Amino acid sequence: MRAIVVKPPKPGVEINDVKIDEDKLSTIGLVKIKVLENGICGTDREIVSGKRTSVKPPAGKDELILGHEAIGIVEVGGYGLKEGELVMPINKRGCGKCLNCLVGRPDFCETGEGLVAGTKGLDGFMREYLYDDPKYLVKIPLAIKDIAILAQPLADIEKSVEAILTTQKRVPIWTCDDGTFNCKKALVVGTGPTGILFSLILRTYGFQVWIANRRELLDNEKEILEEPGIIFYNSENGYDNLVKSEGKFDLIIDTSGASASIMQHLVPLLQINGVLGLFGFPRYDNFSLDYKTVQDFVINNRIIIGLDNGQKTHFQQAVIHLASWKSLWPNTTSKMITKVISISNEREVISSLREKLPGEIKVIIRWE
Ligand code: NAP
Ligand code: ZN
Ligand code: ZN
C-alpha cells in the first residue's frame, strides 16, 4: 500500500510502498478503513523539516508513516461500525499503564509513554488503508464531509476550552451578570488554522474575541473572521494600542508557535483572575518576567496553563460544533479548506508538506 513516510531525525518526506500484514490485522478485532483524506498541519511540516525533536518511528523501525488528521470510509466493518460509514481516527493512544490512559484520557498521561500516530512511536494516517480498533474511531456525519478534517485540530481546542473553564471554577463568579461570557474578552494570538478555530469556539461560548498577527490579513483571512464577528488586531508594533482601546483580557491564548518571548508581552495584558493559555509550541527564544510582573501576577490570581490534545469526547464535540457552524457561519466554514491536492500529484503533495503558502488555512490530500 502507498504511504507518505519520513525517516526522523533526517529531514525530508517520500511517497513509498509500505508492507502490512493484512491477514494478521483482519483477525484481531480491527476495522478496515479506506482513507479518503488527510489534513496537513504545522506539526507535519515541523517533522518534515527535521525540527521536531520528539518524533519517533514505531519500535524497531527507522521509518514513520506521517499524518494525524484523516477521514476514511469503513470498508470492512463490525464491532458497531458499518461498511460505508465515515470515520475519523484519534491520534493519541494511551500508555496502557496510568489511570488517566486506562479511562480514555491519554491527554493527561502520567508516564509520558503514550503513543501518538504520525508523531511518536505509532504509524500515522497518510496511507491508503488503516486497520483500527473502533474505540479509536469517531463517526462523522455525511453532512459535514467537506470540512470534517477540521475535527482533529478542533478536538484539541475543545479540550483546551474545557480545561480553561474547569480551571476558572476556582473563581466564585467568572461569568457576567446574565450568566453568560458575553462581557468577557479573549485575545487569540496567531491567525493559522488553530488560531481561527480557537476564535470560533470562543465566539460559540459567547466571548468577545480579538485575534492578532504581526502583519495585515489577506482578503480570504479577513472574510473568514467577518460572519462570527472576530476582531483583528495588527500586533506589529506591540499591544499597547489594543490595551488602550479595549482594556485588559480575561483570556489570552497563544497559538503562534513562534517565539517564546511573545509570552512576556502577553502576561501584562491579563485581567485580574485572567488566564494565559499556551497552545502553540514556540521554536526559539526565552520567556522571562521581572519581579514586579510576578508580584502583580500573584496578587491578581492570574494563571498560565498548558493546553494539549483532545480525546474522543472532544472529537465528538468538535463534530457537533462544525455541524452548527455550517449553519451559523456558512461563509466562514466554506473558506477554511483552501486547497485539495490529489495524491497522484506527488510533486504538489511533497511541496505542501514542506512549505505553507500565504493565505493557506487547511490543505487536504485526497486519496483517489
Ligand atoms: P500556523 O499555521 O503556523 O499558525 C501560526 C500563526 O501564528 C500564523 O498565522 C503566523 O503568522 C502567526 N504568528 C507567527 N508569529 C507571530 C507573532 N509573533 N505574533 C502573532 N502571530 C504570529 O500553525 P497552526 O497549525 O495554527 O498551529 C499553531 C501552533 O499550535 C503550532 O505550534 C502547532 O504545533 C501547535 N499545536 C498545538 C496543539 C496542542 O494540542 N497544543 C495542537 C495542534 C497544533 P503567518 O501566517 O504570517 O506565518
Ligand atoms: Zn496537527
Ligand atoms: Zn498514560
Side-chain angles (χ1 to χ4, degrees):
M1 124 179 117
R2 295 219 299 157
I4 300 178
V5 295
V6 289
K7 292 180 182 164
K10 276 193 250 167
V13 59
E14 292 167 20
I15 305 177
N16 281 347
D17 279 324
V18 296
K19 284 203 184 82
I20 53 160
D21 189 348
E22 283 210 57
D23 291 343
K24 186 176 150 211
L25 287 167
S26 61
T27 58
I28 52 175
L30 304 181
V31 170
K32 183 178 183 184
I33 300 146
K34 179 173 167 38
V35 174
L36 299 178
E37 289 175 358
N38 296 119
I40 299 180
C41 124
T43 304
D44 300 317
R45 294 196 178 107
E46 280 169 27
I47 295 172
V48 168
S49 70
K51 284 191 189 132
R52 257 284 162 130
T53 48
S54 56
V55 60
K56 212 166 71 182
K61 287 178 67 183
D62 62 357
E63 191 172 89
L64 171 76
I65 301 179
L66 193 63
H68 54 280
E69 297 178 5
I71 54 170
I73 189 161
V74 176
E75 201 166 271
V76 182
Y79 322 102
L81 285 172
K82 289 194 221 82
E83 196 183 311
E85 279 187 311
L86 279 186
V87 289
M88 169 169 266
I90 294 170
N91 50 317
K92 187 156 185 176
R93 313 290 166 103
C95 69
K97 295 177 190 166
C98 80
L99 283 177
N100 285 331
C101 285
L102 293 173
V103 297
R105 291 304 301 266
D107 48 330
F108 285 112
C109 176
E110 288 177 347
T111 64
E113 294 170 22
L115 305 175
V116 189
T119 311
K120 194 177 151 209
L122 188 67
D123 275 326
F125 309 140
M126 289 183 176
R127 50 172 142 166
E128 284 177 83
Y129 288 98
L130 298 172
Y131 285 84
D132 215 340
D133 183 335
K135 177 164 109 176
Y136 297 116
L137 296 170
V138 179
K139 285 191 197 179
I140 299 289
L142 264 178
I144 62 159
K145 190 179 172 198
D146 56 337
I147 53 168
I149 203 73
L150 297 170
Q152 193 285 328
L154 188 52
D156 295 341
I157 293 161
E158 299 280 358
K159 180 277 177 72
S160 302
V161 174
E162 180 186 277
I164 291 163
L165 296 181
T166 308
T167 305
Q168 285 310 80
K169 294 221 163 104
R170 73 199 167 108
V171 184
I173 305 288
W174 200 65
T175 53
C176 317
D177 61 7
D178 57 0
T180 69
F181 293 112
N182 296 168
C183 64
K184 293 281 171 194
K185 287 187 274 186
L187 170 64
V188 176
V189 178
T191 57
T194 62
I196 292 172
L197 290 171
F198 234 119
S199 305
L200 294 175
I201 285 275
L202 292 172
R203 287 297 293 141
T204 309
Y205 276 87
F207 286 81
Q208 299 167 49
V209 181
W210 283 257
I211 192 167
N213 201 335
R214 76 291 180 234
R215 62 165 170 86
E216 278 305 313
L217 293 184
L218 299 171
D219 285 347
N220 69 318
E221 296 169 326
K222 279 186 201 156
E223 284 163 19
I224 282 178
L225 305 181
E226 234 164 63
E227 262 175 351
I230 298 161
I231 307 158
F232 175 69
Y233 176 75
N234 185 336
S235 59
E236 189 184 1
N237 298 316
Y239 291 90
D240 290 353
N241 286 338
L242 181 64
V243 174
K244 254 184 230 152
S245 64
E246 311 299 344
K248 293 195 173 186
F249 290 86
D250 300 287
L251 177 57
I252 303 177
I253 308 288
D254 176 54
T255 71
S256 64
S259 163
S261 68
I262 291 178
M263 260 55 89
Q264 74 206 42
H265 302 294
L266 299 180
V267 167
L269 309 182
L270 279 177
Q271 183 56 279
I272 291 171
N273 300 331
V275 182
L276 170 60
L278 307 188
F279 186 85
F281 295 96
R283 282 165 290 156
Y284 50 88
D285 225 338
N286 303 304
F287 164 28
S288 69
L289 298 176
D290 62 31
Y291 74 93
K292 285 185 195 157
T293 312
V294 175
Q295 285 194 12
D296 198 48
F297 195 88
V298 174
I299 290 166
N300 291 301
N301 292 293
R302 294 181 178 125
I303 198 162
I304 299 179
I305 182 170
L307 302 166
D308 189 38
N309 198 266
Q311 285 307 307
K312 195 164 188 175
T313 55
H314 308 112
F315 278 75
Q316 290 171 344
Q317 191 65 36
V319 166
I320 290 166
H321 275 141
L322 288 174
S324 73
W325 295 346
K326 272 193 78 134
S327 311
L328 280 174
W329 305 319
N331 194 38
T332 298
T333 50
S334 71
K335 291 192 161 58
M336 293 291 288
I337 310 296
T338 42
K339 196 192 273 180
V340 179
I341 311 168
S342 162
I343 189 68
S344 58
N345 190 347
E346 286 200 18
R347 205 188 218 189
E348 204 171 347
V349 169
I350 301 286
S351 104
S352 280
L353 283 163
R354 288 206 165 114
E355 196 191 0
K356 181 182 171 181
L357 298 177
E360 191 179 291
I361 312 288
K362 179 59 67 187
V363 172
I364 285 178
I365 299 169
R366 185 163 288 157
W367 291 80
E368 307 290 347

